[in-house]
Amino acid sequence: MTLVRVWGLWACLWAGSMLGGGVLAAEGEASPNVAFYLGTDAPLDLLQAFDEVIVDPAVFALPSSERYPHTRWAARVEITQKDYQGTPAAWLEKTLAPLWGKGFRDFYLTDKERGGDSFFSAPPSTEDRWLSLALTEVHGEFKDARIFLRNHLPVADARGDLLAGWVVESIFQPYDALQGWFLTVDPHRLDEQLSQLHHWQEKYPGVPLIDLELAQTYDREGQQVLARKSAQAGLIPYVTSPDENIVGIGKLRVMPRKILVVQSLDPGTAIEEGTGSKILSLPLDYLGYDVRYVNVNEGLPEDITPDRYAGIAVFLDKDVADQDKWRLWFLKEVHRHVPVAVFDRFGFDIDIETAQVLDLKVLPSGYLPGATARILHTAPMIGFEHAPQVEIQDAVGLAIGPTGQSLAQIQVGDTIMDMAATLPWGGYALAPFSLEYVGELNRNYWVIDPLKFLRQSLSLPAMPVPDTTSENGRRLFFVQLNFRHSPLPATQDFPWW
């Protein structure tokens, strides 16, 4: 079993406990983990945790089955009104045959227009009768084809034996695709729908019934609540964005394994030479995360979303060239609910509007001659490798709002400032409460415990991490011998017994 698959499996177990209930722990062929991803840049490292992934074959190329042996990929096939004017055989030759040639064996038949009421169409429509014939034609032409059908209750009720899965949409949270609005479900209609769905499950107990729910793109907690409702009703949930271009939440919630480190570098400086790279790589590697480094002065990525990234760590020891652009990007990520941990400085001036977004208070600046700064309070994580030493020039006029938790407070005159804190959006540890450089020793010392601060500010879950220094609990000892003037290779590795 590969390491990647082990992480996917562990994510399943963790997510099952997060979503809760025996329904989510159900196993068997009728309870697979199904995902829908129609974006152009499918994150295969995350999607491989699912048993079946619905994709858009126009922008998705089938990956190697050797690399992802446990995941099946189903091609999304749109059904249009023109299809009903021909024969199922002609439609099959035009639509499914090319996809079969590309290697697809699973197909997801869906209406081209969203929000149709074909789920409850009665009596069966022309489309439903045509689809029933098409399903028979598919299984006659392609013996190994697996078909997933969206909505069309009469077809699913009559030919459920030909389906690999039936997909219904927006049972608990209706969505108006034309207006882009989420609607409130009618309780009586919900009871009617669930009654019909449970009746269908009794009729076809071996066929998965997947509930595709749509929610706000970056509201991960709201998505999880919706997935829990669906699972508690006995359905296989999957909650995603209206564009279906994120890694959503179903029976499992795949844990993002990436963290972005933002640093400010002078032109021509290699990314690995930045202070942020040097000091944050060790704690983030220890926590088991894949780290991506960027230079704020050379552009910022647009693909940082909470389904792919566990958070952002910011270490800016030099000025930012375009502070306005950096502030807007920072606030955009906060709006996306991507946790952010700030070390040393924010890198932009915090005005009143920015402070309101971050639940901070901007305090008056400027102090009387002879004023001094003293430490009022520090959390246990402060003083990790070096005790904090604060001077008047270190004071930053910020105080946290009611949602924050202070980690370090100082006082200048009558003004009390929070120099380190955690908040709902993440946290910050400003100098000198983050890192202390000792010139005599030419090295940096942590003032704040980076592991505890990163875990708390980025809301990182407690979980196992790979340990390459041991095997089954036994420590490993590696020896490398370099030979000269020997018939053996210049470098030879030997196991240690």
Side-chain angles (χ1 to χ4, degrees):
M1 181 177 290
T2 64
L3 180 61
V4 172
R5 187 62 185 178
V6 168
W7 276 111
L9 177 59
W10 192 88
C12 297
L13 298 176
W14 177 85
S17 63
M18 289 294 292
L19 293 176
V23 173
L24 293 175
E27 299 293 340
E29 294 182 358
S31 185
N33 296 303
V34 181
F36 297 74
Y37 192 89
L38 306 182
T40 57
D41 54 345
L44 301 181
D45 58 329
L46 300 177
L47 293 174
Q48 61 86 33
F50 294 89
D51 302 308
E52 187 93 31
V53 182
I54 312 297
V55 297
D56 182 358
V59 297
F60 181 86
L62 273 176
S64 169
S65 58
E66 295 180 356
R67 186 171 183 180
Y68 304 102
H70 304 283
T71 301
R72 300 182 66 98
W73 312 91
R76 181 178 184 271
V77 180
E78 290 184 348
I79 308 167
T80 65
Q81 187 65 32
K82 293 181 179 179
D83 297 328
Y84 306 124
Q85 299 174 3
T87 65
W91 170 80
L92 195 67
E93 181 65 25
K94 178 183 177 181
T95 308
L96 264 62
L99 296 175
W100 187 273
K102 293 181 180 180
F104 285 99
R105 296 297 179 265
D106 298 3
F107 305 94
Y108 172 53
L109 306 185
T110 177
D111 302 294
K112 185 173 183 179
E113 299 298 332
R114 308 193 59 131
D117 202 29
S118 54
F119 170 31
F120 288 104
S121 60
S125 64
T126 303
E127 291 89 343
D128 294 327
R129 289 190 290 269
W130 186 92
L131 267 177
S132 295
L133 296 175
L135 289 176
T136 305
E137 193 78 21
V138 168
H139 283 276
E141 184 69 20
F142 303 116
K143 302 295 184 183
D144 298 327
R146 301 172 74 246
I147 300 296
F148 293 82
L149 178 67
R150 171 181 174 263
N151 292 337
H152 292 279
L153 173 61
V155 179
D157 191 54
R159 302 314 311 263
D161 57 315
L162 299 180
L163 298 178
W166 183 32
V167 180
V168 294
E169 186 176 323
S170 300
I171 300 298
F172 291 89
Q173 182 166 276
Y175 177 70
D176 187 331
L178 295 178
Q179 301 294 334
W181 294 340
F182 293 97
L183 309 175
T184 301
V185 65
D186 179 81
H188 298 291
R189 181 176 175 82
L190 176 61
D191 291 341
E192 177 189 358
Q193 290 177 333
L194 291 177
S195 176
Q196 289 181 283
L197 294 177
H198 292 156
H199 176 76
W200 186 89
Q201 286 178 309
E202 294 175 357
K203 186 175 182 180
Y204 298 103
V207 182
L209 176 53
I210 301 111
D211 174 26
L212 175 61
E213 296 285 344
L214 306 178
Q216 296 287 351
T217 302
Y218 305 118
D219 184 9
R220 300 297 280 176
E221 298 311 311
Q223 293 168 14
Q224 183 168 302
V225 169
L226 200 54
R228 184 182 294 115
K229 287 182 181 180
S230 179
Q232 290 173 346
L235 310 179
I236 299 176
Y238 188 76
V239 186
T240 184
S241 64
D243 293 330
E244 299 180 37
N245 59 354
I246 66 170
V247 180
I249 299 176
K251 292 197 305 174
L252 61 86
R253 177 173 178 174
V254 181
M255 298 176 60
R257 305 300 309 152
K258 290 184 173 63
I259 287 181
L260 181 76
V261 171
V262 180
Q263 48 190 351
S264 55
L265 304 176
D266 293 329
T269 304
I271 198 74
E272 63 271 11
E273 294 300 320
T275 306
S277 299
K278 294 178 180 179
I279 68 167
L280 289 175
S281 59
L282 181 60
L284 290 176
D285 287 345
Y286 176 81
L287 292 172
Y289 287 88
D290 179 15
V291 186
R292 175 184 177 185
Y293 300 95
V294 297
N295 181 1
V296 65
N297 295 323
E298 294 182 354
L300 294 163
E302 297 295 332
D303 60 344
I304 312 303
T305 53
D307 61 315
R308 303 190 186 199
Y309 282 80
I312 301 170
V314 179
F315 193 95
L316 306 173
D317 57 346
K318 299 182 183 299
D319 291 336
V320 177
D322 191 339
Q323 292 190 12
D324 290 337
K325 183 177 180 181
W326 160 236
R327 179 175 59 248
L328 291 175
W329 185 91
F330 185 100
L331 295 177
K332 180 183 67 175
E333 294 305 323
V334 170
H335 174 72
R336 287 179 169 181
H337 302 288
V338 180
V340 184
V342 178
F343 294 88
D344 226 45
R345 66 171 93 172
F346 280 93
F348 53 79
D349 295 331
I350 298 182
D351 54 22
I352 300 299
E353 294 181 356
T354 303
Q356 290 177 346
V357 174
L358 302 180
D359 194 24
L360 298 174
K361 300 175 183 177
V362 179
L363 304 177
S365 59
Y367 310 104
L368 296 174
T372 59
R374 67 186 185 94
I375 298 175
L376 288 182
H377 161 77
T378 59
M381 69 174 71
I382 301 293
F384 179 59
E385 291 182 326
H386 196 283
Q389 298 176 354
V390 62
E391 303 291 342
I392 184 64
Q393 62 268 22
D394 298 323
V396 177
L398 290 178
I400 59 174
T403 64
Q405 178 181 357
S406 180
L407 302 178
Q409 278 187 338
I410 67 171
Q411 182 174 0
V412 178
D414 296 331
T415 304
I416 297 176
M417 309 171 189
D418 294 297
M419 298 293 289
T422 57
L423 295 107
W425 55 265
Y428 65 91
L430 304 181
F433 292 91
S434 58
L435 207 65
E436 181 72 24
Y437 176 73
V438 179
E440 294 83 355
L441 301 177
N442 191 30
R443 64 164 291 185
N444 290 305
Y445 288 88
W446 282 107
V447 176
I448 193 169
D449 185 334
L451 299 177
K452 291 182 179 179
F453 179 66
L454 286 168
R455 284 188 177 121
Q456 190 169 331
S457 59
L458 300 183
S459 301
L460 302 179
M463 62 182 182
V465 297
D467 183 3
T468 58
T469 66
S470 63
E471 182 177 3
N472 296 330
R474 300 179 61 184
R475 302 294 291 180
L476 297 179
F477 180 45
F478 296 94
V479 177
Q480 178 174 294
L481 302 177
N482 294 326
F483 295 91
R484 293 186 178 181
H485 310 292
S486 170
L488 291 174
T491 300
Q492 181 70 40
D493 294 330
F494 293 94
W496 182 264
W497 291 278

